[in-house]
Amino acid sequence: MLIRPDDTHRLRLMIPVFYVIIDGHIELSAHSAGTGVNATIAVRGTGDTVGDSSVFDQSASSLTAQIILSEATLLILDGKDIHRLCSLYPNIAMGFIKAISGRNRKLEKMLITMA
C-alpha cells in the first residue's frame, strides 16, 4: 500500500494487522482525554514495524498512526499469517519478543525521566 501524507488517511491500529514500513515514516500518537492534547509517542521509519503488539494480544491499540514527511510504502500482513510464521519459525517469534521488549524498556525510561 502506498500512502501520501496529504491523504486524509490515518491507519487505525486494529487487530489483527501488522505493518512493515518499506519506505517512509509513520508518526504514532495518542489523544489524552485528561488534557485534551494529542501527543506524539514515536516516529517509526523504514524497516520498522507497527501493530505487532495488537497482533499478539488481540486488542486494538489506543494509538493512531499517520504517514508523515513524504509518502510511505507499507507491507500489510494479516495477524493469522504472523501467528503461523511464529509457530513454524520460533526464531521469528523471538525476534518479535526482543523488539517488543526493547520498546517497553524505552517507554519505561521515558516514564522514569518524566517522573
Side-chain angles (χ1 to χ4, degrees):
M1 177 192 295
L2 176 66
I3 304 172
R4 292 177 177 77
D6 55 343
D7 292 343
T8 56
H9 190 88
R10 283 183 176 259
L11 303 173
R12 282 301 294 158
L13 301 178
M14 303 297 235
I15 56 170
V17 179
F18 177 77
Y19 300 93
V20 178
I21 304 169
I22 303 300
D23 186 46
H25 294 87
I26 293 178
E27 174 188 60
L28 299 175
S29 62
H31 183 78
S32 170
T35 63
V37 174
N38 198 35
T40 298
I41 305 300
V43 174
R44 303 260 172 84
T46 301
D48 290 332
T49 60
V50 178
D52 44 356
S53 294
S54 294
V55 165
F56 291 111
D57 72 8
Q58 295 293 300
S59 63
S61 176
S62 56
L63 301 179
T64 299
Q66 181 175 347
I67 306 304
I68 58 170
L69 303 177
S70 63
E71 62 189 29
T73 304
L74 307 175
L75 173 63
I76 302 172
L77 300 167
D78 185 271
K80 293 175 193 167
D81 293 331
I82 299 299
H83 286 218
R84 191 176 9 231
L85 282 172
C86 288
S87 294
L88 293 172
Y89 304 100
N91 287 340
I92 291 175
M94 287 304 297
F96 279 114
I97 291 168
K98 287 179 184 178
I100 293 169
S101 295
R103 285 200 301 268
N104 284 341
R105 287 205 187 275
K106 273 186 175 177
L107 289 172
E108 288 171 0
K109 288 179 184 178
M110 288 171 58
L111 289 171
I112 290 167
T113 302
M114 293 170 50

